[in-house]
Amino acid sequence: MDTATTNAIEIRDLVVDFGSRRILENISFDIHQGEIMVIMGGSGAGKSTLLRCLLGLKAPTSGHIHMLGTDICHATKTDLYKMREKMGVAFQGGALFTSMSVAENIQLPLREHTNLDENTIQIMTRIKLDMVNMLPHENLMPSELSGGMTKRAALARAIIMDPKLLFFDEPSAGLDPITSAELDELIIKLKKSMKMTIVVVTHELESVFAIADRIAILGDRELIQIGTPHEIKASCDKRVIDLLNRTPRESIVDSDAHLKRLTRNAQS
Amino acid sequence: MKSNIRSENDFDVLELSGEIDLHYSPELRELILGSLKGGKALLIDMSDVGYIDSSAIASLVEGFQTAKSTNLEYGLLSISHPALQVLTLTRLDQVFSLYDNVEQFQSQF
Ligand SMILES: Nc1ncnc2c1ncn2[C@@H]1O[C@H](COP(=O)(O)OP(=O)(O)OP(=O)(O)O)[C@@H](O)[C@H]1O
Ligand SMILES: [Mg+2]
């Protein structure tokens, strides 16, 4: 078997602006086939924006993204559609269709992209529901789900087509530790058994170090550092150290300054 | 995916090889259900199978259910490592009857 590293995704000189605001500047890195790449960075650092670019949902201002050999920034609609069949996506916020049950939500990609027999679709749906421990809840509507159930349903939908590439924005944010550990375990199993390349955006340090093969850290519009968990832990970059230590912001508040901030526009 | 089906006295053997994904699982389904319609037990040789996806597994599951409902033996023979990994992930390694050799399967009936 070929053991040389091949790149599932190549990002080159990526620049992203929203209007006149530059969000990402000259981002370049590779994501290897079969690895779990965790993208970290403070809130607003541009992690979700980077994911949207990788998915072809946001055109970068300049730069290139090659995914499984296809230049997705300059791909035709047909090529993009073909790429999407190989990608599974679970977005920040879940985004299940509210008018459909959990099972119907999960089946949707199969109905859109394949002509599989109805029995096959039903069994595939149940296999995936079982993988995320949601089989007992297949007939619930999205409004009846807890936060953790919503994430698990979104993951089941993301993997229904056995994608080569899985993108997951904030899988464990806001979940209890057990649910979050279960999701981590499942993500690792998907990599090992299904040979998926997985890109995860998360803030949860425990998850990061449980699942990551490599970590890319965004900040100040740039890629601050990329490396193995070991390398990231040993980083000397203050921004990386701060992110990992997560020092709570100003624990001692300068009361005068803070009072001024809060009352800046108030009339006295 | 490549396939070959041969008939023993009281059962069929379906030999599979290569990768089985969305594009081949409908064919796999037809092969399995077609064979079971003949009323014979079915042994599926998976020693040469590479990666299989969940649509292939769904076809195997539907076949198993069909065999059960018609009281036919149904087994998977010498599952390759990559296929077994996927079965394990979906906990189906505990559901199917797995055999190491044909004699083992024959001794079931
Ligand atoms: N559609 C948009 N229009 C204008 N600005 C946007 C848009 N989407 C994101 N931004 C801006 O881009 C920056 C990066 O946002 P993004 O959502 O990528 O951050 P993030 O790293 O995912 O943050 P979080 O951890 O809070 O999810 C933010 O400053 C945000 O205000
Ligand atoms: Mg985000």
Side-chain angles (χ1 to χ4, degrees):
Chain A
M1 229 166 88
D2 187 7
T3 51
T5 312
T6 42
N7 293 330
I9 304 173
E10 294 175 355
I11 302 162
R12 290 291 174 276
D13 308 317
L14 194 75
V15 176
V16 181
D17 297 333
F18 276 114
S20 58
R21 276 177 70 214
R22 181 140 298 180
I23 306 299
L24 295 172
E25 177 136 44
N26 290 327
I27 308 278
S28 297
F29 66 101
D30 297 328
I31 298 173
H32 304 154
Q33 212 135 52
E35 81 173 337
I36 298 179
M37 170 67 81
V38 172
I39 298 176
M40 288 182 75
S43 185
K47 306 178 297 295
S48 296
T49 302
L50 176 61
L51 270 201
R52 293 177 64 79
C53 291
L54 297 182
L55 296 169
L57 295 174
K58 161 95 186 136
T61 307
S62 62
H64 297 273
I65 299 170
H66 282 264
M67 199 169 291
L68 303 175
T70 303
D71 176 352
I72 60 157
C73 303
H74 302 96
T76 61
K77 268 208 166 131
T78 327
D79 284 345
L80 260 185
Y81 190 80
K82 270 195 198 142
M83 271 313 298
R84 294 244 168 84
E85 288 184 2
K86 298 179 193 161
M87 299 182 189
V89 184
F91 263 141
Q92 199 169 12
L96 298 173
F97 290 99
T98 52
S99 58
M100 298 178 198
S101 71
V102 167
E104 287 164 347
N105 261 287
I106 289 166
Q107 289 161 0
L108 206 59
L110 287 176
R111 299 202 186 280
E112 273 182 4
H113 291 276
T114 75
N115 294 313
L116 292 171
D117 183 87
E118 183 60 28
N119 286 346
T120 306
I121 289 180
Q122 295 296 341
I123 296 168
M124 286 175 79
T125 306
R126 303 237 161 85
I127 287 174
K128 295 295 152 77
L129 281 166
D130 181 56
M131 277 168 76
V132 299
N133 276 329
M134 285 287 289
L135 200 44
H137 313 299
E138 63 173 327
N139 293 321
L140 292 186
M141 300 302 282
S143 60
E144 298 172 296
L145 303 180
S146 72
M149 289 157 95
T150 306
K151 287 202 178 181
R152 284 183 281 150
L155 178 58
R157 187 175 64 187
I159 60 175
I160 189 68
M161 301 264 293
D162 295 318
K164 298 276 176 262
L165 296 166
L166 176 64
F167 298 91
F168 209 154
D169 203 352
E170 307 240 17
S172 47
L175 297 184
D176 64 84
I178 294 172
T179 314
S180 141
E182 276 175 5
L183 267 183
D184 290 346
E185 208 177 299
L186 180 59
I187 288 171
I188 293 168
K189 280 188 193 159
L190 288 171
K191 174 187 86 161
K192 287 197 175 144
S193 310
M194 310 293 280
K195 316 273 179 267
M196 283 181 200
T197 303
I198 305 178
V199 183
V200 181
V201 169
T202 180
H203 290 290
E204 304 296 318
L205 289 177
E206 224 169 295
S207 283
V208 172
F209 290 106
I211 64 177
D213 291 308
R214 291 194 304 148
I215 301 167
I217 299 184
L218 297 181
D220 299 334
R221 298 190 209 91
E222 295 173 339
L223 178 67
I224 299 179
Q225 196 176 351
I226 180 165
T228 62
H230 189 75
E231 287 163 350
I232 295 294
K233 273 184 184 160
S235 174
C236 297
D237 191 301
K238 179 163 183 320
R239 295 165 296 179
V240 176
I241 296 168
D242 282 350
L243 195 67
L244 296 193
N245 289 336
R246 194 67 81 53
T247 30
R249 56 193 197 114
E250 286 185 278
S251 44
I252 303 162
V253 177
D254 174 339
S255 60
D256 266 357
H258 195 50
L259 185 63
K260 276 196 185 129
R261 277 199 294 254
L262 294 177
T263 55
R264 197 166 41 199
N265 294 323
Q267 310 286 321
S268 57
Chain B
M1 179 185 86
K2 286 207 176 105
S3 64
N4 174 49
I5 193 151
R6 64 186 162 82
S7 252
E8 297 285 323
N9 276 339
D10 31 10
F11 60 97
D12 285 346
V13 180
L14 173 59
E15 297 165 339
L16 302 172
S17 62
E19 304 207 335
I20 315 176
D21 61 15
L22 284 172
H23 302 283
Y24 291 105
S25 54
E27 185 185 335
L28 175 62
R29 178 173 184 270
E30 292 299 318
L31 284 165
I32 293 173
L33 297 182
S35 158
L36 290 171
K37 269 209 188 99
K40 278 207 224 168
L42 179 62
L43 181 62
I44 304 178
D45 183 343
M46 298 186 63
S47 54
D48 258 348
V49 168
Y51 168 80
I52 59 172
D53 76 359
S54 41
S55 66
I57 294 188
S59 299
L60 293 174
V61 168
E62 188 180 359
F64 191 28
Q65 177 55 35
T66 307
K68 277 213 152 155
S69 65
T70 46
N71 274 320
L72 294 170
E73 287 296 327
Y74 181 93
L76 307 182
L77 176 67
S78 313
I79 298 196
S80 65
H81 180 67
L84 185 60
Q85 273 192 311
V86 180
L87 276 194
T88 309
L89 174 68
T90 54
R91 303 198 300 174
L92 287 164
D93 56 323
Q94 301 163 47
V95 173
F96 287 115
S97 312
L98 310 181
Y99 299 96
D100 294 328
N101 52 59
V102 180
E103 291 71 35
Q104 231 179 31
F105 179 66
Q106 266 177 311
S107 69
Q108 296 298 307
F109 49 94

